[in-house]
Amino acid sequence: MEDDAPVIYGLEFQARALTAQTAETDAIRFLVGTQSLKFDNQIHIIDFDDENNIINKNVLLHQAGEIWHIGASPADKAVLTTCYNKTSNSRVVSCAAVWRMPTDWETASHESPDDTAHNPQTLELLCHLDDSAHGNAACVLWEPMGDGKRVISLADNHALLWDLQESSTQATVSSTATLEGKGQLKFNAGKWSPHHNCSQLATANDTVIRGWDLRTMSQIYCIENAHGQLVRDLDFNPNRQYYMASCGDDCKVKFWDVRNVQEPVKTLEEHSHWVWSVRYNHSHDQLVLTASSDSRLILSNMVSISSEPFGHLVDDEELSEGEDNHQDDKSKEPLKDSVVSTYEEHEDSVYAAEWSSADPWLFASLSYDGRLVINRVPRALKYRILL
Amino acid sequence: YTPGNTASCQPDACHLFVCRWALEFVMDAEADGLVEVSEDGDPSRRRRVHGMLKLYYGLNEEGKAEEEQESLDPCDINGPHFDPEHYLNKLRRECSLAELMDQETCMVKQIRSLDSDMQTLVYENYNKFISATDTIRKMKNDFKKMEDEMDCLSANMAAITEFSACISGTLQDQHAQITKLSGVHTLLRKLQFLFELPARLNKCLELQAYAQAVNSHRRARCVLRQYSHLPSFKGIQDDCHAIMDKLAQELRQKFRDGGSSAKDLAQCVELLLQLDEPAEELCDKFLSHARSRLESDLQGLEAEIRPYPSAPAVKDFIDRGCNEFVSSLCLVIASYQELFINHAQMANGKLHAFVDDLAARYFSLVERRIQEEKGVGDNSLLVRALDRFHRRLQAVAKLLPGSPVPNKGIEIVIRAATERVKQYLAALQSFYMDSLTDVRQALATPRLSVAGASVAGELLSSLSASILNQIKSVLASVHLFTAKDITFSNKPYFKGEFCSQGVRESLVVNFIKFVCQSSRQFCESAGDKGGSTPPVLLLLLSRLCLDYETSTISYILTLTDEQFLVQHHSPVTPVTTLCEEAREAAQKLLNHYVKVQGLIISQMLRKSVETRDWVNTIEPRNVRAVMKRVVEDTTSIDVQVGLLYEEGVRKAHSSDSSKRTFSVYSSSRQQARYAASYTPSAPMDTNLLSNIHKLFSERIDIFSSVEFNKVSVMTGIIKISLKTFLECVRLRTFGRYGLQQIQVDCHYLQMYLWRFVSDENLVHFLLDEIVCSSAHRCLDPAPMEQSVIEVICERG
């Protein structure tokens, strides 16, 4: 079984922000936000044609500034949020905003696919998620599987819960939580838990991971020294409500059971530099993707702490029918946690990696030099999980 | 044979003797050549006669004759083969006249002396012959007289026989009567004994002469039983029974009272046994008495088990146990076996149960006491105590061959030994941890800063030497268990398993493993903050583990194997496994050291980048202080590592690479990168650029394993620091002067850092990357003139 070669797409600008288009479940589509101080920044809409193994791109202008974070609405394909830096009067300010893509971006690009000189369309600003009282925005989180009405923005040491009204043109802060402590505290990253009715949020600041209850906006757990150095990213296991993954500057990926925060359930130490992103596969939570500034992307198979620790349960009848007995034997082998594959297509630090929302076996990764690589889970593993 | 015959024979012999002698004389004279030539000179015949004579004269001449016979020289005048003619001829031929004359006179002299000798002999013999004849004649007369007397004697004897027969015939009847009477007398005496028996028994009872009473009764018992149908005897029997019952009662009472000495007790039992008391009951009673006494011994022992300081030494304890308990036990066993030898089967069962029970209690006490023995100072006391303990149990083993007691004793000894080994391991471990604490303190003292890190080397050597010494002394202590004069040392356990499993595996190997593990824990428990463990300690431990891998482990194990002559029956941990473990630990420690040091420098760099407003900064005039600090720290780390690790290889670098290479390299590439960023580029361009980029550099693993040398360690630390610098720069936005400051800083780092790393291109590449990234992140990228940078750096 030969695996398909990775597909590589190059952006002209450096880039850090990547997301799958969450609301889109048919097409494999990723959004990339660029970082350029001198030119108009862009949002690249990247469509991957699975059949023909080719990429179609569309570019929308994001003139507000360089994009540090991007998030797609789970309800409306056309709505997205960005966190961007704005320079004015030799001051750099981080802002966040909700945008809507122009309705006809798709048709426009299809008409003239080869015409690179045509003027790309501009994003339509829906509203700012700014509150001058609450500092620089680090990221904006959509309510998972929600109706696209609620977002959380993390700004310096505040977590702000926004209600979007009137088709997202108005945003009001419904509640806030503030991190208090010595020194200048600042949220690095956060994740809205899809469990417990979407009432929990996890945030990272420095080496600490905190859990928040959004109903009361109070802290519910705190993992001190979760990582030896800065925690860079978090993700919730989509199938096991108390399980969470984190990664950081100590090159480690740790898996936590938030009911017992003393010790991680599992620690991976495969990367040779800071790990910037960790992502659970949306359907098969044993598959974990990590991106690191050692220019590598690693796909791990964490069976032992997944929701299917014994693998897919296979009926005996099903097995007896099969001619290929050796494959049956394979499926009966005890499953071990292992690194499935290390992807070395990138040459610069990889800051983001995302699973596709449409195809659970496909993922994209983005390195600083603007290279986007689309890869698939190796077929052998895919079949082992499925069969 | 008659005396007459003898007498007649004698003169014949004498006559023959004289004749022979005469004949010989003639022959000799002839042989000596005195007679010129004999007429019947047949030499062979003469020789025969001569020989016969010699034979006659006896054995003492025989040897000499034989000797002489052997000389065949015809000129030997005394030889058997003497030829007078030949001799004469020879003389005449060989000798001068004077010599001949001498010879002649000499010969004449000899002849004369022989002549006179001969005459004397003849005379003497003749005298003897005469006296012999006289004697014989006298004997003849005496014998005749004796014959007459003998005839008379025989006649007398016949008369005596006749008389005696007559007398015995008359006395026959009286003799029979006397025999009968004496039989009656004995019977009467026996009867008297019987009748007196009750009284006698009573008296014995009064006098407490139990043994005598029992003896008397035993003698009378069967007679009484036999004649019990007679009323008088019946009476006596009943009386005796009554008395004996009383006696038995008394004996039992005495027996029950206990208190009396073991000897008395034994006597009691013996008597009771003779009185047909049931043996089983006696066994039980005897044992229960013995038990009460032994238990008091045990209680005494138990009282000695007290908390450590006040308790007597373990040797005293064991001594007391041996002297009191074990020796009384032996005594009990011996007397018991003697007493109940007739009931061996039943009695032995009881005895075994008894001994096992008491021994078990004794053992539990001993074990409790041994467990109290926790101080590891002097092992010899314990070993001696155990030896005593074991030696004394051998007595029990001899007395009671099938008993499990000695085996249990051995088990206790074994347990004590293994326990001891464990304690030694714990002691070694705590010693190790203590020495580490000492090392930490030594590192923390301000001396370090004064004398530089040279302390580290000393500390390392003193640490490893003291650990080695400690191991040796522990081995010596443990070795006492297998000393030749210790009785249990020749047990198979102490020869085999104790050496291989006990000492080698659980002591030495476990300790080495512990060293490795505790070292590894420094990497884990300290967390990645690295705050608690001073980095120098990590470095030091890493070197220690590495030394262990290269030499110490194999040395220690060889030492152990030699001292204990370990024969490996069961599989043991091979040296290679331990070495691997040590190497792994060393590697891990060194990696951790690199991480920690890298982190310390990274944190400085990161703080310096994060806290500054790079957009609104002033034109750089100086290298930032933090960079100087970085270089200083790197230098001191370099010194530190250099004391413990070898230099290592580095790629050849050009001379004066602090300046030229960097400037050329970076300016050319910077130009290219700036150019690329100025023009709106198609995706192709970036790809092309990064491909070119890739041509220049290998992928760099930042937190990778390092080698055991200084250059590799330094490279690791610098890689981590610069990569952090890069990532931090990428998260910031720069103004024109911000970029220029970064340029200055990078140049400064370049000037100093290249010398520490194995491949200076690495430093070039990373610094170049930093400058490029900051140029990218710059709002107004106007790079500073290279010459200005150099001036600023040199001034700084």
Side-chain angles (χ1 to χ4, degrees), chain A residues 10-56:
Chain A
L11 283 77
E12 335 25 340
F13 301 119
Q14 290 171 334
R16 283 173 182 269
L18 169 72
T19 184
Q21 196 177 27
T22 324
E24 175 63 81
T25 49
D26 297 329
I28 300 164
R29 189 171 294 158
F30 293 99
L31 306 177
V32 181
T34 64
Q35 284 196 315
S36 172
L37 292 165
K38 291 125 205 158
F39 306 99
D40 278 346
N41 281 290
Q42 304 164 339
I43 288 190
H44 288 236
I45 303 165
I46 304 202
D47 272 288
F48 180 62
D49 183 347
D50 200 16
E51 312 253 302
N52 304 313
N53 228 19
I54 51 168
I55 281 176
N56 293 316

Coordinates of all heavy atoms in Angstrom, one line a residue, chain A residues 10-56:
Chain A
G10 N 2.9 26.7 -1.8 CA 3.7 27.7 -1.2 C 3.0 29.1 -1.2 O 2.4 29.5 -2.2
L11 N 3.1 29.8 -0.1 CA 2.6 31.2 -0.1 C 3.7 32.1 -0.2 O 4.9 31.8 0.1 CB 1.9 31.4 1.3 CG 0.6 30.8 1.6 CD1 0.7 29.3 1.9 CD2 -0.1 31.6 2.8
E12 N 3.4 33.3 -0.7 CA 4.5 34.3 -0.9 C 4.9 34.9 0.4 O 6.0 35.4 0.4 CB 4.1 35.4 -1.8 CG 3.1 35.7 -2.8 CD 1.9 35.0 -3.0 OE1 1.6 33.9 -2.5 OE2 1.1 35.6 -3.7
F13 N 4.1 34.8 1.3 CA 4.4 35.5 2.6 C 4.6 34.5 3.7 O 4.2 33.3 3.6 CB 3.3 36.5 3.0 CG 3.0 37.5 2.0 CD1 1.8 37.6 1.4 CD2 4.0 38.4 1.6 CE1 1.5 38.6 0.5 CE2 3.8 39.4 0.7 CZ 2.5 39.5 0.1
Q14 N 5.3 35.0 4.7 CA 5.4 34.1 5.9 C 4.0 34.0 6.5 O 3.2 34.9 6.4 CB 6.4 34.7 6.9 CG 7.8 34.6 6.3 CD 8.8 35.4 7.0 OE1 8.4 36.4 7.7 NE2 10.1 35.0 6.9
A15 N 3.9 32.8 7.2 CA 2.5 32.6 7.8 C 2.6 31.8 9.0 O 3.5 30.9 9.2 CB 1.7 31.9 6.7
R16 N 1.7 32.0 9.9 CA 1.6 31.3 11.1 C 0.2 30.7 11.4 O 0.0 29.8 12.1 CB 1.9 32.1 12.4 CG 3.3 32.4 12.6 CD 3.4 33.5 13.7 NE 4.8 33.8 14.0 CZ 5.6 33.2 14.8 NH1 5.1 32.2 15.5 NH2 6.8 33.6 15.0
A17 N -0.8 31.4 10.8 CA -2.2 31.1 11.2 C -2.8 30.1 10.2 O -2.7 30.3 9.0 CB -3.0 32.4 11.2
L18 N -3.4 29.0 10.7 CA -4.0 28.0 9.9 C -5.2 27.5 10.6 O -5.2 27.3 11.8 CB -3.0 26.9 9.7 CG -3.5 25.6 9.0 CD1 -3.8 25.8 7.5 CD2 -2.5 24.4 9.2
T19 N -6.3 27.3 9.8 CA -7.4 26.6 10.4 C -8.2 25.8 9.3 O -8.0 26.1 8.1 CB -8.4 27.6 11.1 OG1 -9.4 26.8 11.7 CG2 -9.0 28.5 10.1
A20 N -8.9 24.8 9.7 CA -9.8 24.1 8.8 C -11.0 24.9 8.8 O -11.4 25.6 9.7 CB -10.0 22.7 9.3
Q21 N -11.7 24.8 7.7 CA -13.0 25.5 7.6 C -14.0 24.6 8.3 O -14.6 23.7 7.7 CB -13.4 25.9 6.2 CG -14.5 26.9 6.2 CD -14.9 27.3 4.8 OE1 -14.7 26.5 3.8 NE2 -15.4 28.5 4.6
T22 N -14.3 24.9 9.5 CA -15.0 24.0 10.4 C -16.4 23.7 9.9 O -16.9 22.5 10.0 CB -15.1 24.6 11.8 OG1 -13.9 25.3 12.1 CG2 -15.3 23.5 12.8
A23 N -17.1 24.7 9.4 CA -18.5 24.5 9.0 C -18.6 23.7 7.7 O -19.7 23.2 7.3 CB -19.2 25.8 8.8
E24 N -17.5 23.6 7.0 CA -17.5 22.9 5.7 C -17.3 21.4 5.9 O -16.2 21.1 6.4 CB -16.5 23.5 4.8 CG -16.3 22.8 3.5 CD -17.5 22.9 2.6 OE1 -17.8 23.9 1.9 OE2 -18.3 21.9 2.6
T25 N -18.2 20.5 5.6 CA -18.0 19.1 5.9 C -17.9 18.3 4.6 O -17.7 17.1 4.6 CB -19.1 18.5 6.7 OG1 -20.3 18.9 6.2 CG2 -18.9 19.0 8.2
D26 N -18.0 19.0 3.4 CA -17.9 18.3 2.2 C -16.6 18.4 1.5 O -15.9 17.5 1.2 CB -19.0 18.7 1.2 CG -20.4 18.4 1.8 OD1 -20.5 17.4 2.5 OD2 -21.3 19.2 1.5
A27 N -16.2 19.7 1.4 CA -14.9 20.0 0.7 C -13.8 20.0 1.8 O -14.0 20.4 2.9 CB -15.0 21.3 0.0
I28 N -12.6 19.6 1.3 CA -11.5 19.7 2.2 C -10.9 21.1 2.1 O -10.4 21.5 1.0 CB -10.4 18.7 1.8 CG1 -11.0 17.3 1.9 CG2 -9.2 18.8 2.7 CD1 -10.2 16.2 1.2
R29 N -11.1 21.9 3.1 CA -10.7 23.3 2.9 C -10.0 23.9 4.1 O -10.5 23.6 5.2 CB -12.0 24.1 2.6 CG -11.8 25.6 2.2 CD -13.0 26.2 1.8 NE -13.6 25.6 0.5 CZ -14.8 25.7 0.2 NH1 -15.7 26.3 0.9 NH2 -15.3 25.1 -0.9
F30 N -8.9 24.6 3.9 CA -8.2 25.2 5.0 C -8.0 26.7 4.7 O -8.0 27.1 3.6 CB -6.8 24.6 5.0 CG -6.8 23.1 5.4 CD1 -6.6 22.1 4.5 CD2 -6.9 22.8 6.8 CE1 -6.6 20.8 4.8 CE2 -6.9 21.4 7.1 CZ -6.8 20.4 6.2
L31 N -7.9 27.4 5.8 CA -7.7 28.8 5.7 C -6.4 29.2 6.3 O -6.0 28.7 7.4 CB -8.8 29.6 6.5 CG -10.2 29.3 6.1 CD1 -11.2 30.1 7.1 CD2 -10.5 29.6 4.7
V32 N -5.6 30.0 5.5 CA -4.3 30.4 6.0 C -4.2 31.9 6.0 O -4.6 32.5 5.1 CB -3.2 29.8 5.1 CG1 -1.8 30.2 5.6 CG2 -3.3 28.3 4.9
G33 N -3.7 32.4 7.2 CA -3.5 33.9 7.2 C -2.0 34.2 7.2 O -1.2 33.5 7.8
T34 N -1.7 35.2 6.4 CA -0.2 35.5 6.2 C 0.2 36.6 7.2 O -0.6 37.3 7.8 CB 0.0 36.0 4.8 OG1 -0.7 37.2 4.6 CG2 -0.4 35.0 3.8
Q35 N 1.6 36.7 7.2 CA 2.2 37.7 8.1 C 3.1 38.5 7.2 O 4.1 38.0 6.7 CB 3.0 37.1 9.2 CG 2.1 36.6 10.3 CD 3.0 36.3 11.5 OE1 4.0 35.8 11.4 NE2 2.5 36.7 12.7
S36 N 2.8 39.7 7.0 CA 3.7 40.6 6.2 C 3.5 42.0 6.8 O 2.4 42.5 7.0 CB 3.4 40.5 4.7 OG 4.2 41.5 4.1
L37 N 4.6 42.6 7.0 CA 4.6 44.0 7.5 C 4.4 45.0 6.4 O 4.0 46.1 6.7 CB 5.8 44.2 8.4 CG 5.9 43.4 9.7 CD1 7.2 43.5 10.3 CD2 4.8 43.9 10.7
K38 N 4.9 44.6 5.3 CA 5.0 45.6 4.2 C 3.9 45.6 3.2 O 3.6 46.5 2.5 CB 6.3 45.5 3.5 CG 7.5 45.8 4.3 CD 8.5 44.6 4.3 CE 9.3 44.7 5.6 NZ 9.9 43.4 5.9
F39 N 3.2 44.4 3.1 CA 2.2 44.3 2.1 C 0.9 44.0 2.7 O 0.8 43.6 3.9 CB 2.6 43.2 1.1 CG 3.9 43.4 0.5 CD1 5.0 42.7 1.0 CD2 4.2 44.3 -0.5 CE1 6.3 43.0 0.5 CE2 5.4 44.6 -1.0 CZ 6.5 43.9 -0.5
D40 N -0.2 44.1 1.9 CA -1.5 43.7 2.4 C -1.5 42.2 2.7 O -1.0 41.4 1.9 CB -2.5 43.9 1.3 CG -2.9 45.4 1.3 OD1 -2.6 46.1 2.3 OD2 -3.5 45.9 0.3
N41 N -1.9 41.9 3.9 CA -2.0 40.5 4.2 C -3.2 39.8 3.6 O -4.1 40.5 3.1 CB -2.0 40.3 5.7 CG -0.6 40.5 6.3 OD1 0.2 39.6 6.1 ND2 -0.4 41.6 7.0
Q42 N -3.0 38.5 3.4 CA -4.0 37.7 2.7 C -4.6 36.6 3.5 O -3.9 36.1 4.5 CB -3.4 37.2 1.4 CG -2.8 38.2 0.6 CD -1.8 37.5 -0.5 OE1 -1.4 36.4 -0.3 NE2 -1.5 38.3 -1.5
I43 N -5.8 36.2 3.1 CA -6.3 34.9 3.7 C -6.4 34.0 2.5 O -7.0 34.3 1.5 CB -7.6 35.1 4.4 CG1 -7.3 35.8 5.7 CG2 -8.2 33.7 4.6 CD1 -8.4 35.9 6.6
H44 N -5.6 32.9 2.5 CA -5.7 31.9 1.4 C -6.7 30.9 1.8 O -6.6 30.3 2.8 CB -4.3 31.3 1.2 CG -3.3 32.2 0.6 ND1 -2.6 31.9 -0.5 CD2 -2.9 33.4 1.0 CE1 -1.8 32.9 -0.8 NE2 -1.9 33.9 0.1
I45 N -7.6 30.7 0.8 CA -8.6 29.6 1.0 C -8.1 28.5 0.2 O -8.0 28.6 -1.0 CB -10.0 30.0 0.6 CG1 -10.4 31.3 1.4 CG2 -11.0 28.9 0.8 CD1 -11.5 32.0 0.8
I46 N -7.7 27.4 0.8 CA -7.1 26.3 0.1 C -8.0 25.1 0.0 O -8.4 24.5 1.0 CB -5.8 25.9 0.8 CG1 -5.0 27.2 0.9 CG2 -5.1 24.8 0.1 CD1 -3.6 27.1 1.0
D47 N -8.4 24.8 -1.2 CA -9.2 23.6 -1.5 C -8.4 22.5 -1.9 O -7.6 22.7 -2.8 CB -10.3 24.0 -2.5 CG -11.5 24.6 -1.9 OD1 -12.2 23.8 -1.3 OD2 -11.7 25.8 -2.1
F48 N -8.6 21.4 -1.4 CA -7.8 20.2 -1.8 C -8.7 19.3 -2.5 O -9.8 18.8 -2.0 CB -7.2 19.6 -0.6 CG -6.3 18.4 -1.0 CD1 -5.2 18.5 -1.8 CD2 -6.7 17.1 -0.6 CE1 -4.5 17.4 -2.2 CE2 -5.9 16.0 -0.9 CZ -4.8 16.2 -1.8
D49 N -8.4 19.0 -3.8 CA -9.1 18.0 -4.5 C -8.6 16.7 -4.3 O -7.5 16.3 -4.8 CB -9.0 18.4 -6.0 CG -9.9 17.5 -6.9 OD1 -10.3 16.5 -6.3 OD2 -10.1 17.9 -8.0
D50 N -9.3 15.9 -3.5 CA -8.7 14.6 -3.1 C -8.5 13.7 -4.3 O -7.6 12.9 -4.3 CB -9.7 14.0 -2.1 CG -9.1 13.0 -1.2 OD1 -7.8 12.9 -1.2 OD2 -9.8 12.2 -0.5
E51 N -9.5 13.7 -5.2 CA -9.4 12.8 -6.3 C -8.2 13.0 -7.2 O -7.5 12.1 -7.5 CB -10.7 13.0 -7.2 CG -11.9 13.0 -6.4 CD -12.8 11.8 -6.6 OE1 -13.1 11.4 -7.7 OE2 -13.0 11.1 -5.5
N52 N -8.0 14.3 -7.5 CA -6.9 14.6 -8.4 C -5.6 15.0 -7.7 O -4.6 15.3 -8.4 CB -7.4 15.7 -9.4 CG -8.6 15.3 -10.1 OD1 -8.7 14.2 -10.6 ND2 -9.6 16.2 -10.1
N53 N -5.7 15.0 -6.4 CA -4.5 15.4 -5.7 C -4.0 16.8 -6.0 O -2.8 17.0 -6.1 CB -3.4 14.3 -5.9 CG -2.8 13.9 -4.6 OD1 -3.5 14.0 -3.6 ND2 -1.7 13.3 -4.7
I54 N -4.9 17.7 -6.3 CA -4.4 19.1 -6.6 C -5.0 20.1 -5.7 O -6.1 19.8 -5.0 CB -4.7 19.5 -8.1 CG1 -6.1 19.2 -8.4 CG2 -3.7 18.8 -9.0 CD1 -6.6 19.8 -9.7
I55 N -4.4 21.2 -5.6 CA -4.9 22.3 -4.7 C -5.4 23.4 -5.5 O -4.9 23.8 -6.6 CB -3.7 22.8 -3.9 CG1 -3.4 21.8 -2.8 CG2 -3.9 24.2 -3.3 CD1 -2.2 22.1 -1.9
N56 N -6.6 23.9 -5.1 CA -7.1 25.2 -5.7 C -7.0 26.2 -4.6 O -7.4 26.0 -3.5 CB -8.6 25.0 -6.1 CG -8.7 24.0 -7.2 OD1 -7.9 24.1 -8.2 ND2 -9.6 23.0 -7.1

